[in-house]
Amino acid sequence: MSTHGAELMYTYAVARAGCRPPDGLLGVADAPVETVTEGALAALVSRVPAADFDEEALRAHLEDMAWLERTARAHRSVVDTAAAEFCVLPLRLVTVHRDARGVRQVLAQRAEEFLSALVSLDGRMEWGVKAYVEDPGTAKPPVPASGSARQAPAGGSGRDFLRRRLAHRQAQEQSQRRADELAGAAHEALDKFAERSRLHRPQDPRLSGVSGRNVLNGAYLIPRDQAGAFAGLVGELADRSPGVRIELTGPWAPYSFTQAPQPPEAGGETGPGGAV
């Protein structure tokens, strides 16, 4: 069946009924953001062309990194803009339903779960804290004056070079251990302050483009009225962690603390993020 002119419902997040996105907010494919309401819940959605978001089109788009990046940026922009105004439960990227009826059906099926999550997250935001240490492998080991240990005389300078090389390696290992200890102590302090926390896998600098070894990649759920105190704590920890670069990001919608439900058995959705 032709999808020319047909539309699907791209769904960004779930909120309480009555919560409305800011006027003029645009989302994926520059489509206006609206709401679909069912009972006590509302979903933030956009009407997107089926030609770009049905299963066949999505399979092709998922191979297009530029398309994925644009879509992810637009998706997150909608969620974070709404989260600045009211509590939202972010949904997976490319969560698409065939129509408003499908959206309402999921809201009805998951009402208890969604409402419970909204209660637990209301008035709270996610903050990210990352800690980096410069990779000791980038520091150059000592080089013997002759240019090679094999060329150094066996009686003196060769042993001196090997001794210096061993000391260099031990210093690197000690630096790594110290950085890991400082990162662990920072997370412990932040975890005590936060209502909840999540430790994510360290970022690969080849993908993130950020220099240094990522020794802490944490997410922290913080009440809105304690954001200033939390930021102050992060600053104190940075001052007390020599050799470790600590960065604070946020506030964000509570991505790390939203448990995505499993897809319903009944159909009606499409694409890899087909169910909320």
Side-chain angles (χ1 to χ4, degrees), residues 181-194:
E181 290 170 358
L182 289 172
H187 170 67
E188 183 176 355
L190 297 170
D191 178 63
K192 287 181 179 179
F193 187 100

Side-chain angles (χ1 to χ4, degrees), residues 36-87:
V36 172
T37 300
E38 174 64 29
L41 295 169
L44 305 185
V45 304
S46 287
R47 300 174 189 273
V48 295
D52 285 332
F53 287 89
D54 64 12
E55 291 187 41
E56 184 177 352
L58 282 177
R59 278 196 293 270
H61 283 317
L62 291 176
E63 304 297 325
D64 183 347
M65 293 305 298
W67 185 92
L68 280 175
E69 184 178 355
R70 288 194 306 272
T71 302
R73 189 183 301 116
H75 179 107
R76 183 149 192 161
S77 176
V78 169
V79 173
D80 287 332
T81 300
E85 303 291 332
F86 47 83
C87 184

Side-chain angles (χ1 to χ4, degrees), residues 5-276:
E7 292 181 323
L8 300 174
M9 285 284 185
Y10 187 107
T11 313
Y12 304 92
V14 174
R16 287 187 176 88
C19 294
R20 301 189 63 82
D23 291 340
L25 181 61
L26 301 180
V28 171
D30 289 329
V33 179
E34 55 188 281
T35 58
V36 172
T37 300
E38 174 64 29
L41 295 169
L44 305 185
V45 304
S46 287
R47 300 174 189 273
V48 295
D52 285 332
F53 287 89
D54 64 12
E55 291 187 41
E56 184 177 352
L58 282 177
R59 278 196 293 270
H61 283 317
L62 291 176
E63 304 297 325
D64 183 347
M65 293 305 298
W67 185 92
L68 280 175
E69 184 178 355
R70 288 194 306 272
T71 302
R73 189 183 301 116
H75 179 107
R76 183 149 192 161
S77 176
V78 169
V79 173
D80 287 332
T81 300
E85 303 291 332
F86 47 83
C87 184
V88 299
L89 303 179
L91 302 180
R92 291 177 297 174
L93 184 66
V94 194
T95 296
V96 182
H97 296 82
R98 299 197 183 282
D99 50 29
R101 179 182 177 183
V103 177
R104 287 193 293 268
Q105 181 181 10
V106 173
L107 292 178
Q109 290 174 341
R110 302 287 179 174
E112 183 177 352
E113 183 175 359
F114 286 150
L115 287 170
S116 175
L118 285 167
V119 169
S120 69
L121 296 173
D122 194 22
R124 296 153 180 84
M125 297 290 282
E126 176 175 328
W127 291 82
V129 178
K130 295 182 175 63
Y132 303 90
V133 60
E134 290 305 319
D135 186 354
T138 60
K140 295 181 179 179
V143 179
S146 61
S148 170
R150 293 175 180 167
Q151 296 172 353
S157 61
R159 283 197 300 271
D160 290 341
F161 166 70
L162 294 176
R163 191 178 299 114
R164 291 195 304 272
R165 192 178 184 91
L166 177 60
H168 176 76
R169 184 169 65 249
Q170 290 174 336
Q172 288 181 328
E173 293 172 352
Q174 184 177 7
S175 175
Q176 289 188 22
R177 285 195 299 271
R178 178 60 177 160
D180 289 336
E181 290 170 358
L182 289 172
H187 170 67
E188 183 176 355
L190 297 170
D191 178 63
K192 287 181 179 179
F193 187 100
E195 290 191 355
R196 283 188 267 168
S197 69
R198 294 284 187 276
L199 283 176
H200 297 299
R201 287 181 296 180
Q203 291 183 324
D204 186 335
R206 294 171 298 180
L207 300 177
S208 67
V210 179
S211 65
R213 182 168 67 95
N214 184 202
V215 292
L216 172 63
N217 184 11
Y220 303 90
L221 188 68
I222 306 296
R224 290 177 188 266
D225 60 2
Q226 295 182 28
F230 182 74
L233 174 59
V234 174
E236 292 175 10
L237 293 170
D239 292 339
R240 300 203 307 259
S241 305
V244 177
R245 186 175 80 253
I246 296 180
E247 298 179 355
L248 174 67
T249 63
W252 314 112
Y255 296 97
S256 300
F257 306 96
T258 302
Q259 194 74 10
Q262 295 298 313
E265 293 183 4
E269 293 76 31
T270 180
V276 294

